[in-house]
Amino acid sequence: MRLLTFSARTAKEILRDTLNLFFGLGFPLVLIGLLTAIQSNIPVPIFELAHLTPGVTIFGLSFITLFAAVLISKDRESALLQRLYTTPLTAADFIFGYTLPLLPMAAAQGIICYIAAALLGLELKITALYAVLVIIPVALFYIALGLVFGSVLNSKQVGGICGALLTNLSAWLSGIWFDVDLVGGAFKKIANALPYIHAVELERAVFNGDYSNILPHLWWVLGYTVAAVMGAVFLFLRQMKKQ
């Protein structure tokens, strides 16, 4: 009950920030439309809807990281969390209270992307439903990452780190816009060592029914998700003790 109450409060805070909400849900649609227009004039395989849409769907989750980080950093600055620490809420209640409202938002973002792509000519199959479901574990990683940064940074720092740095990392190291094999070298090794490209390839594999490539990328995503959640719990407990 305590968890649900805190989760409902977090959901209201998310819905209250209409500008960021609209940007987070709308920007991936702009990307799909723009890159599809480029594809129609200069055909490039990587911009074909069946290849592009899963990637943009995952890229949109980087804004979920920003949402999570802003939420927790603002609560820390307003001293709300200090007051809530006197309640029976546990650390798990706080972590899941921030996480649960963001999961439907991540799923909605994915659904909107696939619907928009369908309107532009993407053929939707049952695998599109599976692809939306796979967004959930990937979203958990992005949310946990936001909680990590929100626990140690203030709201201004969060805007620079999560809004600029992490968004660009997710864009350039995920293989959405170009094949990292074309760059090769250290860039390819770094990209393959981080979860972003594996999240994109996982989504593509599920949507295109390439089931043999799901597990290799899924293990990478789950490993980073577990690490991010553990980091979020540790840092949240640490700042609870400090305050």
Side-chain angles (χ1 to χ4, degrees):
M1 186 63 183
R2 298 189 304 267
L3 169 61
L4 294 178
T5 301
F6 183 67
S7 181
R9 173 263 167 194
T10 303
K12 291 178 182 177
E13 288 296 317
I14 295 171
L15 295 174
R16 188 176 290 121
D17 192 358
T18 53
L19 180 61
N20 283 332
L21 183 64
F22 178 78
F23 184 79
L25 294 174
F27 187 65
L29 302 184
V30 174
L31 287 175
I32 291 175
L34 178 62
L35 295 176
T36 300
I38 294 174
Q39 165 69 15
S40 63
N41 292 297
I42 308 174
V44 180
I46 200 168
F47 288 164
E48 293 177 357
L49 283 170
H51 191 79
L52 174 68
T53 306
V56 173
T57 300
I58 296 300
F59 171 69
L61 295 178
S62 59
F63 296 102
I64 302 293
T65 298
L66 178 60
F67 266 108
V70 168
L71 277 172
I72 194 169
S73 63
K74 283 186 175 180
D75 284 350
R76 286 172 52 230
E77 292 176 356
S78 67
L80 172 66
L81 287 179
Q82 293 185 42
R83 294 194 295 272
L84 290 176
Y85 292 157
T86 62
T87 69
L89 285 168
T90 65
D93 290 331
F94 283 110
I95 294 297
F96 287 109
Y98 284 114
T99 301
L100 291 179
L102 289 168
L103 288 177
M105 180 179 172
Q109 188 180 68
I111 292 170
I112 291 172
C113 284
Y114 280 109
I115 290 176
L119 294 175
L120 292 171
L122 177 67
E123 180 185 356
L124 291 184
K125 300 169 286 187
I126 188 62
T127 53
L129 176 60
Y130 304 152
V132 171
L133 293 176
V134 167
I135 287 174
I136 301 302
V138 180
L140 282 173
F141 163 72
Y142 279 92
I143 294 169
L145 198 60
L147 297 180
V148 166
F149 286 103
S151 295
V152 297
L153 303 176
N154 59 44
S155 57
K156 291 183 179 179
Q157 292 170 331
V158 159
I161 297 296
C162 296
L165 179 60
L166 287 179
T167 302
N168 277 289
L169 282 176
S170 182
W172 295 108
L173 295 174
S174 58
I176 300 172
W177 327 113
F178 57 88
D179 190 344
V180 296
D181 289 332
L182 297 177
V183 181
F187 183 88
K188 179 182 176 181
K189 291 179 180 179
I190 293 171
N192 286 322
L194 294 174
Y196 308 109
I197 193 169
H198 297 287
V200 169
E201 292 301 326
L202 170 64
E203 184 75 3
R204 285 172 176 165
V206 172
F207 178 75
N208 293 300
D210 185 9
Y211 300 113
S212 62
N213 279 326
I214 291 177
L215 281 180
H217 298 295
L218 180 61
W219 290 126
W220 275 91
V221 172
L222 292 180
Y224 268 97
T225 299
V226 170
V229 170
M230 291 175 63
V233 172
F234 171 77
L235 291 172
F236 195 87
L237 285 173
R238 190 184 69 169
Q239 64 102 11
M240 278 182 70
K241 292 177 180 179
K242 284 184 177 180
Q243 296 179 330

